[in-house]
Amino acid sequence: MPKEQANWSPYDNNGGSCFAVAGADYCVIAADTRMSTGYNILTRDTQKSVNYKCVMASSGFQADVKALQKHLAARHLIYQHQHNKQMSCPAMAQLLSNTLYYKRFFPYYSFNVLGGLDNEGKGCVFTYDAVGSYEKVGYSSQGSGSTLIMPFLDNQLKSPSPLLLPARDAVTPLAEAEAIDLVKTVFASASERDIYTGDKLEIVVINADGIRREYMDLRKD
Amino acid sequence: MFRNQYDTDVTTWSPAGRLFQVEYAMEAVKQGSAAIGLRSKTHVVLGCVNKANSELSSHQKKIFKVDDHIGVAIAGLTADGRVLSRYMRNECINYSFTYESPLPVGRLVVQLADKAQVCTQRSWKRPYGVGLLVAGLDESGAHLYYNCPSGNYFEYQAFAIGSRSQAAKTYLERRFENFTDSSRDDLVKDAITAIRETLQGETLKSSICTIAVVGVGEPFHVLDQGTVQQIIDTFEIAAEQEDPATEPDAATGQEAATEQGTAADQGGSTDEGAAPMDI
């Protein structure tokens, strides 16, 4: 007798892309603002990123993304009460990984990139899968447009292999303004071919002066 | 003070209808170093005296941030206070998580009071030995509450707890009618002055007191020592000029008030009718 299949899924994919790149003293995190389901657009103006001292951008199932963000916000508050300071980027990275793995057998359908400055002020980007496997990298993209974005970044940013010895720095030598230009180019191109990416681009830049947000329009079709 | 017969555990009533263990817990609050609170329509200020065990040690933390809109100052067993603050922080985080809005102070103090009451009705527990001055903002404005170990709580315009708090209470009683419309800075000055009253002669320095503020548009935070010292400096100068004029007033005012004060404090032992918990 053929196995019975479920006639509904607890997950949905709301599409979208997100991306982060680390520089010598800055970090740029970007995500589009389109939320879709199937071939329809739900909203052109959603926020996929959230701030602590570092910024997390997520794509995938937005309900799980929201739940994950709320969870981390609560844990971050507890940390601040106990330690009298905000969580550093590496600390948040580990917390996110643990939180994701906690739901290993009913995962958060959320593909995340976490970007910020490490304890020395250098940019750092962490990239995750849905169950918390993570790695510190120089740049990363997740979401529906990542298949279009990643190869382009590999070509432009030429990150050294993490297997090389002595360990090479993964951060890009680009200046902050150049990195932001790169982000804009990348998303503009992704919006051309990926139907789930578009509307508006939210860019968050973290540097020694703090965190600032910028917006750029993308194709609306 | 021969009330030893009925004070072995908290679940034993005395023939006069009192729970001595609870009253002893309230005594613990009176022994702690002073904490004061006062509020206007839009701001609440908490202050406390920092007592350190010795010159070598740091002082105990007595003011805790519970959430952006709630803070608490404690007097008594600070360890109990720390535990209760952790409980309050958790409650606020859980409420925000579920309702995406800040926990109203009034709800929090009721939960705290119920938690304290449980410890007065279980033979295997003891009452919390800490008094909490809870300062918070909600939709109806600024609030200041006092939570006792007995499980009672009251809302106040201004209050002081801990050792030598009567002096601060006297000062606050004189001035409280002006507090509602006070500006934030005047409120802070009044708080520092009230703390100075509890020091009774000791020089007021920012290293021995802590001040925290919460208000509309101002999340709860502890003022840093530099700011506090500046404020102290500004009115120490003014106070020196005023001293000759105000001293007679202060002396007579204090005499009348301290008589009432001591009567209230010792109401338990001398006045059979009114148990302190009823006040």
Side-chain angles (χ1 to χ4, degrees), chain B residues 169-178 197 249-250 253:
Chain B
K169 263 188 261 186
T170 315
Y171 172 79
L172 295 170
E173 272 165 29
R174 262 189 290 146
R175 303 281 304 260
F176 79 94
E177 267 142 2
N178 302 329
E197 301 292 314
D249 290 341

Side-chain angles (χ1 to χ4, degrees), chain B residues 119-159:
Chain B
C119 296
T120 67
Q121 216 176 5
R122 305 275 183 271
S123 59
W124 63 89
K125 286 182 180 253
R126 64 156 177 84
Y128 287 106
V130 64
L132 301 119
L133 282 170
V134 184
L137 242 47
D138 67 19
E139 287 168 347
S140 53
H143 299 275
L144 174 69
Y145 292 92
Y146 171 53
N147 278 69
C148 313
S150 59
N152 275 338
Y153 69 97
F154 305 97
E155 185 166 1
Y156 286 95
Q157 185 76 46
F159 200 50

